[in-house]
Amino acid sequence: MTVDALVFRRVRAVDSASDAADVDVVVERGRISRVGRDAAGDLLRAERARVIDVAGAWLLPGLVDLHVHLREPGEEYKEDLASGLSAAAAGGFSDVCCMPNTKPVNDTRAVTEMLVSKAAGLGGTRLHPIGAITVGQKGEALTEMADLREAGAVAVSDDGRCVTSSAVMRRALEYARTFDLPVVQHAEDHALTHGAQMHEGAVSSRLGLRGWPRVAEDVIVARDVLLAEATGARYHVAHVSTFGAVRILREAKARGLPVTAEATPHHLLLTDAAMLGYDTGCKVNPPLREDADVAALRAALADGTIDCIATDHATHSSLEKDCELAAASPGMVGLELCVAMLLGLVHDGVVPLGRFVDALTAAPARVVGLATPSLRAGARADLALVDPAAAPIIDPTRFRSKGRNTPFAGKKGRGRVLATLVGGRFVHEDLGGAPGKAAPRRARRSSPPRCPATRRC
Ligand SMILES: [Zn+2]
């Protein structure tokens, strides 16, 4: 039997512009063809249609991640395009942007083209490379941004390294502006973080570890905002971690500057207290901060000062993590636990659902110039189906990523990605039903949902 229509039956359909309960969303020929209450009509009994009917499910546009490290080329033992994009699909992502700190660095047309063509051949989650700002990420000579852009780069960044020279940053902003490329900064004044293992504060004193002070991030963000204002270029701050950076960004946005920012799941959920056991799994750059920073990041995500959620998915093998803290590489995986771990913020009323969806779809798409993810009729069928009531235990042994490095292992999630579609095609499916058949409709829960988000709001 050929199935040429897909019906998501009575879902809550949420995109950055709308939130509709109990609607049918129909996908035909790779696009959303109908949306509305009982819109599927006669298709529900049609031979040619597959009906997916999961009580209480949410349908979102495919998620967009501005910040992943897929390790190819050069460190395929940690991750490669196939495993990384498969992990992205399992996490609900239809589009991801990969950082250039590979070996060799993606500072040329050749590397960008290789990434684009190889990812296209895999046919799953789409890949959008981010090229380097400077040759070899050395912070000196600018890359050929015109070449990078032509080859498919959607932004430039020296992520992992900060562009610390004000002169180089100014020229980078001016040059990138010519090609309408956003400049993504890893904000860290390296002179202030030399030898740092974690956030500088009471916990680092107690553990006797050298600290990474907040101000090392804040001084760079403050300077860059001034440079963005002077040049008129688009400036994006990667993985914001401090309340000071939030304050600077809020002020910059109030003045209408073309400045955007992202926060990661781990900075939104964890503090430096997680380092108390000298856990290398919690070593990350920038480091986990304190309660006041987490509160500021959450408020900034809720009010849009922080535009996007980005995972900073950074895999390491046990070689880089099962060692003493000083020798351990910073980074955590994020793609396959982002939705499960962060939906708690929605369920607990910290971040409105619409803002949460915007931060994972339209906002990041806007930063790098992708088409706005949407559930309107006519839109490309890039979709993520989510069960907001699921409570999965995070089990890294089941990750599609090669990385297992996460402090969330064994923690209970507050939602699950059931399926991901790219252009109307399943790239991930965990529906519990046989492929090609309708998944069984589960009984509606009789007890009232405990979170405001699962009520129809
Ligand atoms: Zn970074």
Side-chain angles (χ1 to χ4, degrees):
M1 180 185 73
T2 320
V3 172
D4 54 14
L6 186 61
V7 177
F8 292 94
R9 176 76 169 147
R10 288 183 185 157
V11 289
R12 180 174 176 183
V14 189
D15 65 15
S16 59
S18 64
D19 182 348
D22 271 330
V23 294
D24 296 346
V25 177
V26 180
V27 173
E28 290 172 283
R29 290 180 294 281
R31 297 206 165 257
I32 296 172
S33 58
R34 308 181 212 170
V35 183
R37 190 154 295 201
D38 293 321
D42 54 333
L43 281 174
L44 292 175
R45 284 167 300 280
E47 273 277 293
R48 66 184 189 91
R50 176 182 174 192
V51 179
I52 293 175
D53 187 351
V54 182
W58 296 349
L59 190 67
L60 318 178
L63 310 182
V64 179
D65 193 341
L66 286 181
H67 193 146
V68 301
H69 298 271
L70 299 187
R71 307 303 190 197
E72 187 171 346
E75 291 182 310
E76 288 85 350
Y77 70 98
K78 294 185 183 187
E79 192 81 291
D80 57 29
L81 294 187
S83 64
L85 293 174
S86 177
F93 294 91
S94 56
D95 296 84
V96 297
C97 304
C98 60
M99 284 298 178
N101 61 336
T102 46
K103 294 178 181 171
V105 167
N106 180 12
D107 56 5
T108 59
R109 170 193 287 269
V111 177
T112 304
E113 279 177 348
M114 181 279 289
L115 291 168
V116 169
S117 84
K118 198 163 173 187
L122 292 167
T125 291
R126 284 181 292 261
L127 182 69
H128 309 279
I130 293 179
I133 298 172
T134 63
V135 175
Q137 294 190 301
K138 292 198 170 90
E140 294 160 7
L142 297 184
T143 53
E144 290 297 344
M145 294 182 194
D147 273 2
L148 293 170
R149 165 135 214 159
E150 229 174 78
V154 293
V156 287
S157 178
D158 274 0
D159 185 58
R161 298 287 305 167
C162 179
V163 178
T164 48
S165 158
S166 302
V168 173
M169 190 60 179
R170 178 192 170 187
R171 285 207 312 275
L173 287 162
E174 284 170 347
Y175 196 39
R177 185 178 174 223
T178 321
F179 311 110
D180 197 29
L181 284 169
V183 176
V184 181
Q185 176 73 291
H186 169 114
E188 172 183 1
D189 186 335
H190 296 292
L192 290 169
T193 63
H194 188 69
Q197 300 301 318
M198 63 172 295
H199 169 67
E200 181 183 283
V203 177
S204 67
S205 302
R206 193 160 144 201
L207 296 178
L209 294 172
R210 186 167 304 178
W212 195 133
R214 292 185 182 93
V215 73
E217 178 167 321
D218 303 347
V219 289
I220 297 295
V221 175
R223 179 206 68 178
D224 287 354
V225 164
L226 295 173
L227 289 172
E229 182 171 19
T231 57
R234 291 199 287 138
Y235 172 67
H236 178 82
V237 190
H239 43 53
V240 174
S241 72
T242 68
F243 59 72
V246 166
R247 192 177 60 213
I248 295 161
L249 288 165
R250 187 169 282 130
E251 199 181 284
K253 289 195 157 195
R255 290 195 293 125
L257 299 180
V259 168
T260 53
E262 71 194 31
T264 70
H266 45 276
H267 289 111
L268 288 161
L269 294 171
L270 300 172
T271 68
D272 60 347
M275 295 288 289
L276 278 166
Y278 294 93
D279 181 0
T280 58
C282 295
K283 183 173 175 180
V284 67
N285 183 353
L288 302 175
R289 302 285 183 187
E290 297 181 33
D291 286 331
D293 302 283
V294 172
L297 291 179
R298 291 177 173 194
L301 178 62
D303 73 15
T305 299
I306 287 183
D307 309 75
C308 312
I309 294 166
T311 65
D312 194 5
H313 176 83
T315 55
H316 291 294
S317 74
S318 59
L319 281 176
E320 291 93 13
K321 281 294 191 183
D322 296 343
C323 53
E324 68 272 30
L325 198 70
S329 298
M332 302 176 183
V333 297
L335 285 168
E336 290 169 87
L337 50 80
C338 177
V339 167
M341 293 315 299
L342 278 182
L343 264 185
L345 296 182
V346 176
H347 293 317
D348 295 339
V350 176
V351 180
L353 177 59
R355 179 77 264 281
F356 179 81
V357 172
D358 182 55
L360 276 164
T361 57
R366 202 158 44 239
V367 171
V368 289
L370 306 180
T372 304
S374 160
L375 296 181
R376 277 178 314 185
R380 189 170 57 196
D382 299 337
L383 302 168
L385 185 71
V386 171
D387 180 354
I393 303 295
I394 304 296
D395 177 2
T397 64
R398 299 188 62 195
F399 284 168
R400 295 196 200 170
S401 168
K402 292 183 187 179
R404 303 281 180 267
N405 49 305
T406 171
F408 295 108
K411 298 272 190 296
K412 192 184 271 188
R414 305 272 304 271
R416 183 202 293 276
V417 176
L418 299 175
T420 310
L421 286 88
V422 172
R425 218 170 48 75
F426 282 92
V427 294
H428 166 66
E429 191 173 339
D430 184 17
L431 286 161
K437 301 237 178 79
R441 187 168 185 89
R442 291 192 318 237
R444 283 194 180 268
R445 285 172 295 282
S446 49
S447 55
R450 56 201 153 89
C451 71
T454 49
R455 289 198 290 270
R456 301 276 144 66
C457 50

